[in-house]
Amino acid sequence: MVDRKKRAQDLIKYHSYASGAFGLIPVPGADVAAVSAAQLNLVHKLAKLYGVEFAQERTRAIVGALLGGVMPGALSSSVLGSAVKAVPFIGTALGVAVMPALSLAATRALGQVFAQHFETGGTLLDFDVDAMREYFRKEFDAAKGEAADAPAAAPQMEEQPVQKAG
């Protein structure tokens, strides 16, 4: 049986990369909505993994408080990154440069914070945003560094011979 901590890390990794990919959505606002949905889904799956009752509205409030209290600059950058996509050509390029890394980093940091909280027996009802804010900030900063390095660290596919259609 797979260790619960390992499964939590797999969930965090999957949802983080999904959030990064959703940051590439060229439609302003749709990217933010998709990333938010991935983040809520991550917390829901972590809660289920740890046997914690999930409450969507409570989770939204916690996530909003963590994100808003720790990274107002990054949040304004992500909103700006999403909004700038409305500008033809250059706006899309600028938005695509900002959103994926911020989305991946924020989702990874949220996952780490919730996994640690649930691992120690915490629930959504006793989640103390103020107490977890510094931990979130550290995880976010670490994840931003990893996101910047992600292309170089990405696994390479083995080359397969190209077969011509008959």
Side-chain angles (χ1 to χ4, degrees):
M1 188 164 120
V2 176
D3 175 56
R4 189 163 63 174
K5 286 183 182 181
K6 167 79 169 96
R7 178 73 179 124
Q9 292 307 307
D10 289 346
L11 287 169
I12 292 166
K13 184 177 181 179
Y14 174 82
H15 285 81
S16 296
Y17 284 123
S19 290
F22 293 151
L24 294 171
I25 296 173
V27 180
D31 51 356
V32 174
V35 170
S36 296
Q39 291 171 342
L40 283 174
N41 189 2
L42 170 59
V43 177
H44 181 248
K45 289 189 176 193
L46 288 171
K48 187 175 180 178
L49 178 67
Y50 286 98
V52 173
E53 186 175 336
F54 179 78
Q56 186 170 333
E57 291 308 313
R58 175 79 177 139
T59 302
R60 283 183 196 201
I62 293 169
V63 169
L66 278 174
L67 293 174
V70 171
M71 47 186 246
L75 275 179
S76 62
S77 296
S78 69
V79 171
L80 180 62
S82 180
V84 79
K85 289 180 182 179
V87 177
F89 305 112
I90 192 139
T92 301
L94 289 173
V96 165
V98 173
M99 285 299 294
L102 287 177
S103 300
L104 185 148
T107 303
R108 182 169 293 165
L110 284 170
Q112 295 299 344
V113 167
F114 278 97
Q116 192 274 336
H117 180 67
F118 294 156
E119 185 69 34
T120 58
T123 68
L124 291 173
L125 294 175
D126 65 7
F127 192 97
D128 185 350
V129 173
D130 293 329
M132 296 300 269
R133 194 168 276 136
E134 189 57 33
Y135 180 56
F136 176 82
R137 183 186 322 269
K138 288 177 185 174
E139 289 293 333
F140 179 70
D141 289 342
K144 281 194 308 188
E146 290 174 21
D149 295 338
Q156 300 297 315
M157 293 178 49
E158 293 181 23
E159 289 189 36
Q160 298 292 325
V162 177
Q163 295 180 351
K164 294 183 180 179

